[in-house]
Coordinates of all heavy atoms in Angstrom, one line a residue:
I926 N 34.4 161.5 191.8 CA 33.3 160.6 192.1 C 32.0 161.1 191.5 O 31.7 162.3 191.4 CB 33.1 160.3 193.6 CG1 33.0 161.7 194.3 CG2 34.3 159.6 194.1 CD1 32.7 161.5 195.9
A927 N 31.1 160.1 191.2 CA 29.7 160.4 190.8 C 28.9 159.8 191.9 O 29.1 158.6 192.3 CB 29.4 159.8 189.5
V928 N 28.0 160.5 192.5 CA 27.2 160.1 193.6 C 25.7 160.1 193.1 O 25.3 161.2 192.7 CB 27.4 160.8 194.9 CG1 26.5 160.3 196.0 CG2 28.9 160.9 195.2
L929 N 24.9 159.1 193.3 CA 23.5 159.2 193.0 C 22.6 158.5 194.0 O 23.1 157.8 194.9 CB 23.3 158.4 191.6 CG 23.6 157.0 191.5 CD1 22.3 156.1 191.7 CD2 24.2 156.7 190.2
T930 N 21.4 159.0 194.0 CA 20.4 158.5 195.0 C 19.8 157.2 194.4 O 19.3 157.2 193.2 CB 19.3 159.5 195.4 OG1 18.7 160.0 194.1 CG2 19.9 160.7 196.1
E931 N 19.7 156.1 195.2 CA 19.0 155.0 194.8 C 17.7 154.9 195.7 O 17.7 154.3 196.8 CB 19.8 153.7 194.9 CG 19.2 152.5 194.3 CD 20.0 151.2 194.3 OE1 21.1 151.3 195.0 OE2 19.7 150.3 193.7
R932 N 16.7 155.4 195.2 CA 15.5 155.8 196.0 C 14.8 154.6 196.7 O 14.5 154.7 197.9 CB 14.5 156.5 195.1 CG 13.3 157.0 195.9 CD 12.5 157.9 195.0 NE 11.1 157.9 195.2 CZ 10.1 158.4 194.4 NH1 10.5 159.0 193.3 NH2 8.9 158.3 194.7
K933 N 14.6 153.6 196.0 CA 13.8 152.4 196.6 C 14.7 151.6 197.5 O 14.3 150.6 198.2 CB 13.2 151.6 195.5 CG 12.1 152.3 194.8 CD 10.9 152.8 195.8 CE 9.8 153.4 195.0 NZ 8.7 153.8 195.9
R934 N 16.0 151.8 197.5 CA 16.9 151.0 198.4 C 17.4 152.0 199.5 O 18.3 151.6 200.3 CB 18.1 150.5 197.6 CG 17.8 149.5 196.5 CD 17.2 148.2 197.1 NE 18.1 147.5 197.9 CZ 19.0 146.6 197.5 NH1 19.0 146.3 196.2 NH2 19.8 145.9 198.3
H935 N 16.9 153.2 199.5 CA 17.2 154.1 200.7 C 18.7 154.4 200.9 O 19.1 154.4 202.0 CB 16.6 153.6 202.0 CG 15.1 153.1 201.8 ND1 14.0 153.8 201.7 CD2 14.7 151.7 201.7 CE1 13.0 153.0 201.5 NE2 13.4 151.8 201.6
R936 N 19.4 154.6 199.8 CA 20.8 154.7 199.9 C 21.4 155.5 198.8 O 20.8 155.8 197.8 CB 21.5 153.3 199.9 CG 21.2 152.5 198.6 CD 21.7 151.1 198.7 NE 21.7 150.4 197.5 CZ 22.0 149.1 197.2 NH1 22.5 148.4 198.3 NH2 21.9 148.6 196.1
L937 N 22.7 155.9 199.0 CA 23.5 156.5 198.0 C 24.4 155.5 197.3 O 24.8 154.5 197.9 CB 24.3 157.7 198.5 CG 23.6 158.8 199.3 CD1 24.7 159.9 199.6 CD2 22.5 159.4 198.4
R938 N 24.7 155.7 196.0 CA 25.7 154.8 195.4 C 26.8 155.8 194.9 O 26.6 156.9 194.5 CB 25.1 154.2 194.1 CG 23.9 153.2 194.4 CD 24.3 152.1 195.3 NE 25.3 151.2 194.7 CZ 25.0 150.2 193.9 NH1 23.7 149.9 193.6 NH2 25.9 149.4 193.4
V939 N 28.0 155.3 195.0 CA 29.2 156.2 194.7 C 30.1 155.4 193.7 O 30.5 154.3 193.9 CB 30.0 156.4 196.0 CG1 31.2 157.4 195.7 CG2 29.1 157.1 197.1
F940 N 30.5 156.1 192.6 CA 31.3 155.5 191.5 C 32.5 156.4 191.3 O 32.4 157.6 191.2 CB 30.4 155.4 190.3 CG 29.3 154.4 190.5 CD1 28.0 154.9 190.8 CD2 29.4 153.0 190.2 CE1 26.9 154.1 191.0 CE2 28.3 152.2 190.4 CZ 27.1 152.7 190.8
A941 N 33.6 155.8 191.2 CA 34.9 156.5 190.8 C 35.0 156.7 189.3 O 34.6 155.8 188.5 CB 36.1 155.7 191.3
I942 N 35.4 157.9 188.9 CA 35.5 158.2 187.5 C 37.1 158.3 187.2 O 37.7 159.1 187.8 CB 35.0 159.6 187.1 CG1 33.5 159.6 187.6 CG2 35.1 159.9 185.7 CD1 32.8 161.0 187.4
P943 N 37.6 157.4 186.5 CA 39.1 157.4 186.3 C 39.5 158.7 185.5 O 38.8 159.2 184.8 CB 39.3 156.1 185.5 CG 38.0 155.8 184.8 CD 36.9 156.3 185.7
A944 N 40.8 159.0 185.8 CA 41.3 160.3 185.2 C 41.4 160.2 183.7 O 41.3 161.3 183.1 CB 42.7 160.5 185.8
D945 N 41.4 159.0 183.1 CA 41.4 158.9 181.7 C 40.1 158.9 181.0 O 39.9 158.8 179.8 CB 42.2 157.7 181.2 CG 41.6 156.4 181.6 OD1 40.5 156.4 182.3 OD2 42.1 155.3 181.4
G946 N 39.0 159.0 181.8 CA 37.7 159.0 181.3 C 37.1 157.6 181.0 O 36.2 157.5 180.2
G947 N 37.8 156.6 181.5 CA 37.4 155.2 181.2 C 36.1 154.8 182.0 O 35.4 155.7 182.6
A948 N 35.9 153.5 182.2 CA 34.8 153.0 182.8 C 34.7 153.3 184.3 O 35.7 153.2 185.0 CB 34.7 151.5 182.7
L949 N 33.6 153.7 184.8 CA 33.3 154.0 186.2 C 33.4 152.7 187.0 O 32.9 151.7 186.5 CB 32.0 154.7 186.4 CG 31.9 156.2 186.2 CD1 32.2 156.6 184.7 CD2 30.5 156.8 186.6
T950 N 33.9 152.8 188.3 CA 33.9 151.7 189.1 C 33.2 152.0 190.4 O 33.1 153.1 190.9 CB 35.4 151.2 189.4 OG1 36.0 152.4 190.0 CG2 36.1 150.8 188.2
D951 N 32.6 150.9 191.0 CA 31.8 151.1 192.2 C 32.6 151.1 193.4 O 33.4 150.2 193.7 CB 30.8 149.9 192.3 CG 29.6 150.1 193.2 OD1 29.7 151.0 194.0 OD2 28.7 149.3 193.0
L952 N 32.5 152.2 194.2 CA 33.3 152.4 195.4 C 32.6 151.8 196.6 O 33.2 151.7 197.7 CB 33.7 153.8 195.6 CG 34.6 154.4 194.7 CD1 34.9 155.9 195.0 CD2 35.9 153.6 194.6
A953 N 31.3 151.6 196.5 CA 30.5 151.1 197.7 C 29.4 150.2 197.2 O 28.2 150.6 197.1 CB 30.0 152.3 198.5
P954 N 29.7 149.0 196.8 CA 28.7 148.1 196.2 C 27.5 147.9 197.0 O 26.4 147.7 196.5 CB 29.5 146.8 195.9 CG 30.9 147.2 195.9 CD 31.1 148.3 196.8
A955 N 27.6 147.9 198.4 CA 26.5 147.7 199.3 C 25.7 149.1 199.5 O 24.6 149.1 200.1 CB 26.9 147.3 200.6
G956 N 26.2 150.1 198.9 CA 25.5 151.5 199.1 C 25.8 152.1 200.4 O 26.3 151.4 201.3
L957 N 25.3 153.3 200.5 CA 25.5 154.0 201.8 C 24.1 154.5 202.2 O 23.5 155.4 201.6 CB 26.4 155.3 201.6 CG 27.8 155.0 201.1 CD1 28.5 156.3 200.8 CD2 28.6 154.1 202.1
P958 N 23.6 153.9 203.3 CA 22.2 154.2 203.7 C 22.0 155.6 204.2 O 22.9 156.2 204.8 CB 21.9 153.2 204.9 CG 22.9 152.1 204.6 CD 24.2 152.8 204.1
V959 N 20.9 156.2 203.9 CA 20.6 157.5 204.3 C 19.2 157.7 204.9 O 18.4 156.7 204.7 CB 20.7 158.6 203.2 CG1 22.2 158.7 202.8 CG2 19.9 158.2 202.0
L960 N 18.9 158.8 205.5 CA 17.5 159.0 206.0 C 17.0 158.0 207.0 O 15.9 157.6 207.1 CB 16.5 159.1 204.8 CG 16.9 160.0 203.6 CD1 15.8 159.9 202.6 CD2 17.1 161.4 204.1
D961 N 18.0 157.8 207.9 CA 17.7 156.8 208.9 C 16.5 157.1 209.8 O 16.3 158.3 210.2 CB 19.0 156.6 209.9 CG 18.8 155.6 210.9 OD1 18.5 154.5 210.6 OD2 19.0 155.9 212.2
G962 N 15.6 156.1 210.2 CA 14.5 156.4 211.0 C 13.3 156.9 210.3 O 12.2 157.0 211.0
Q963 N 13.3 157.2 209.1 CA 12.2 157.7 208.3 C 11.4 156.6 207.8 O 11.9 155.5 207.6 CB 12.6 158.7 207.2 CG 13.5 159.8 207.7 CD 12.8 160.6 208.8 OE1 11.7 161.2 208.6 NE2 13.3 160.7 210.0
R964 N 10.1 156.8 207.5 CA 9.3 155.8 206.9 C 8.6 156.3 205.7 O 8.4 157.5 205.4 CB 8.2 155.4 207.9 CG 8.7 154.8 209.2 CD 7.6 154.4 210.1 NE 8.1 153.7 211.3 CZ 8.4 152.4 211.4 NH1 8.2 151.7 210.3 NH2 8.9 151.9 212.5

């Protein structure tokens, strides 16, 4: 997996990397929220 921060949406994005090195696919299209309660 490749995981990146999407700063202005306050979340992580996670993409699967296929074993053959082909196109990455989105494992969590809605993103994974982080830093709950912060402003």
Side-chain angles (χ1 to χ4, degrees):
I926 55 174
V928 183
L929 62 98
T930 53
E931 191 176 11
R932 182 170 149 190
K933 293 301 182 179
R934 298 295 296 273
H935 318 283
R936 64 188 184 179
L937 304 185
R938 301 296 299 272
V939 184
F940 298 91
I942 307 171
D945 64 0
L949 279 62
T950 57
D951 197 342
L952 292 182
L957 301 174
V959 291
L960 309 178
D961 183 56
Q963 303 303 296
R964 296 182 180 275

